[in-house]
Amino acid sequence: MDISTKNTQAPPPAPQPSVAEQKRAARGATRPGDRIFLGLSRGSGILLLVIMAAIAVFLAYRAYLAISKDHGNFLTTFEWNTGAIPPVFGIAVLAFGTVVSSIIAMVIAVPIAVAIALFLTHYAPRRLSGPIAYVIDLLAAVPSIVYGLWGALILVPHLTGLFSWLNDYLGWTGILSWDGGPPRSLLTVGILLAIMILPIVTNVSREVFRQVPRMHEEAALALGATRWEVIRMAVLPFGRSGVISASMLGLGRALGETMAVATVLSPDFLIHGSLLNPGGGTFAQNIASKFNEATEYGRDALIASGLVLFVITLLVNGAARVIIARRKEYSGANA
Amino acid sequence: MKLQRMNRRALTLGALAVSGALALTACGSDDTGSKSSGGGSSASAGVANTSSIKCDNAKGQLLADGSSAQKNAIDAWTAAFSQACQGVQINYKGSGSGAGVTAFTQGQLAFAGSDSALKPEDVEASKKVCTGGGQGIDLPMVGGPIAVGYNLPGVDNLVLDATTLAKIFNSDIKTWDDPAIKKLNPNAKLPSTKISAFHRSDESGTTDNFTKYLKAAAPSVWGKYSGGKAWQAPGGQSAPQSAGVAQQVKQTAGAIGYFELSYAKDMTTAAIDTGASSPVKPSTDAASKAIADAKVVGTGKDLALKLNYTTKADGAYPMVLVTYEIVCDKGNKADTLPATKAFLGYIASTDGQSILTQNSYAPIPDAIISKVRTTIEGLS
C-alpha cells in the first residue's frame, strides 16, 4: 500500500523532464510574485498562531483572576454564586450537562444522519434526492434561537407522552425515571441538539459517500453482493473517517450551542440521576444566562468556564484526529 | 435608461410605503396612548406632560443602560420627553443592572439604571469617572411590585404568607394540598397536584429583591441563603427572564413563579398575608404604600433606600423592588449634563411619576421623590 502511494506521488522516472522541472522550480522560487506569495502565506500562518495564542493567554489570565479567589473547588463545586462573599463557583454540573447532552445528541443524530445520507446517495431516485438534500441544507440555516422557540413551545409540551412512556417501561433503570415535572431536561436538550446537528452531519456524510469510487462498488456487485452488502463492504469502510469528521463537526456545534439550550432547559446546579428530570446546565447556556447581570468578577468566572469548554473541545477534536489517523488506509486519498 | 427609471420608481414606491407605514404606526401609538390614559382621570395627561417638561436648551444624545426591570418605564418617559425636547435623543439599553453599573463606572453612560443600590466598590470605581471629587449616587425612580403568579384552575384567591412562600420556593412544601397552604386558604379547593416552583435561570435583580423579601420576612426558612442575583435554594424549575418564567407558569399546571407585575397579565396572582387586617394583592398602589415605609440609608446625596419588608400597614404589598438611576453628584460630563438633568427632572416630576401606574410600575412616594428632585437640581 505504502509503496504504491509513493510511486504515484513521486515524479515520473524519465530524467529529462525531472531536471527541467527542478530548474523551473528553483527559478520560480526567486521570482518576486512567488516570494510575495510565500511571505503572505507564511505571514497568515503566523498571524493565526499569534491570534490563537493571544486568545488563550487572555482566557487563561482572566480565568486565573477568578479561580484564585474562588472559595469552592473549581472542578467539583455544585454551585455558581460569584456575587456571594466569598464567591463560590464550580463547573462540575456544567461539564456533566455539556458532555451528557452532546452524547445524547450524537447517539440520536449520527445513525439517522448516516441513514439519510445513504438513502440520498444509494437508494433515492435522483429526482427526490436533490430536493431532500436542499431541504436539509436549509435546516442548517435556521438560527438557533428559532430552534429554541420551537423547542420551548412545541417540542417540550409534546415530550410528556414520550417521557411517561420511558418512565413506565424503563423507569426501573434510574436514569430514565421521571417525576412528572415539565420535560425540560437534559434529554430534551439532547433531542433538540440532535435535530440541530443533523444537517451538517448528513451533508458531509453524503459528500463522502458520493466519493466512493464507482469501481469499488461495481467490483462488489460483480462478486454477487446485494446493495446492502455493497454498502457494508465498500461504502461504509471507505466513508468511515469522513463520517467521523462529520460527527465531530456536529459535536462541536452541540458542545457550543447556547440559545436553544438556554430556552429549553430548566437549569440548576445539581447533577440529577435521571436524564428526564429537569435540571443541569451547559457551559454555553450558563455563560449566556449569567453574562448580562454579572459583575467584573462574575465575568472572569464565566470566562474560566469558557476556557474549560475550550479545552474539552480541543480534547474531542484531538481524539477524533487520532481515530481518523488510525484509519487512514481506508481514506479516499490512496484508494 | 429603462432600468434606471424602474429603479427610481421602485425607490419612490419604497419611500411611500415606508413613510406610509411610519405615519400609520404613529397614528397607532397615538391611539393606544390616548386610550390607556383615557382610562384614568388624566385624559389630557399627554398634553400636560409635554408642557411641563423643561428642556433648558438640552441637546445631544443621552446614552444609558442597565436594569431591564425599568425598561418599559424609561421607554414611556422617553416617548413623552422626546416629543417635547426634539434636540435630545435618549438611548436606554436594558442589558441588566450589572452591565449598566459596569458601563457607568467605565464612563460610557450619562446615567445607569440598577435594581440594587451601588456597592461600596462600585462607588469607589465611580470616582474615576465623576471628575472633581464627585461620586456615583442612587436616585430611586421606579417602584414595582413583584407578583407571585400561579396556575391552579379553580383556585382564584390564593393567599400565602412569607413563610409558606419561602417553603414552597425551597421545596419544603411539595404539593398544593399541604396543610400550611390549606390553613391560609380554608375555603379553597386545593388539588393534590405537585407544585412546580419556577425561578429565574439568569442572574437577576428580581431574584435579588424577591429573596431579600423572603430573607427579611421568613428568616427561619430563608436565613441560611446568602441572597444575591443568582438563585440559591434547591429544587424547583427555572427559566430565563421574567417573560420566560411567566410563560412557563402559564403553560404548566400546578406552577408558581415570581416576576414584575407587568408580566402577570392574564394570570392569577397570590395575595400576601402580611399580618395586616386583610391579605394584600399586588398592585401599584399597594407597592407605593410599602415603599413609603422605606428609610433613606444613603449618605450625602445618595438616596439608596432600605425597604421595610415586614411592614404590616393595611394595603401595603411588601414584596417590592425599587430601581435607581445612577449619576454622578458632581463631575457629570459637561456635554450631556443639561440633557441628563432635564430628563431626570422630568421623570421625577409629578407628571413623570404619574405615567408609571399605566405601565404596572409604582410611583415613588412624595416624601422620597421630593428629595430626589432637590438632588437632581443640584447635579453638576
Side-chain angles (χ1 to χ4, degrees), chain A residues 81 153 184 266-267 278 289 293, chain B residues 96-97 202-203 232 237-238 247:
Chain A
N81 198 352
L153 298 176
R184 301 167 68 233
S266 161
S289 63
E293 289 283 327
Chain B
S97 305
D202 47 342
E203 303 208 344
Q232 286 163 8
Q237 316 260 320
S238 61
Q247 193 230 331

Side-chain angles (χ1 to χ4, degrees), chain B residues 1-85:
Chain B
M1 214 32 208
K2 204 175 180 187
L3 254 177
Q4 263 181 350
R5 208 185 305 150
M6 283 265 297
N7 268 338
R8 196 176 296 163
R9 189 177 296 167
L11 264 180
T12 10
L13 268 179
L16 258 177
V18 168
S19 51
L22 280 177
L24 279 176
T25 44
C27 287
S29 59
D30 276 355
D31 270 0
T32 47
S34 60
K35 242 180 242 162
S36 57
S37 57
S41 57
S42 54
S44 59
V47 186
N49 280 343
T50 45
S51 64
S52 76
I53 298 172
K54 290 177 202 138
C55 298
D56 291 337
N57 299 324
K59 280 210 169 56
Q61 202 186 17
L62 277 192
L63 268 186
D65 192 3
S67 160
S68 55
Q70 62 168 343
K71 173 102 171 79
N72 293 336
I74 298 263
D75 284 349
W77 281 327
T78 306
F81 185 78
S82 48
Q83 257 182 13
C85 305

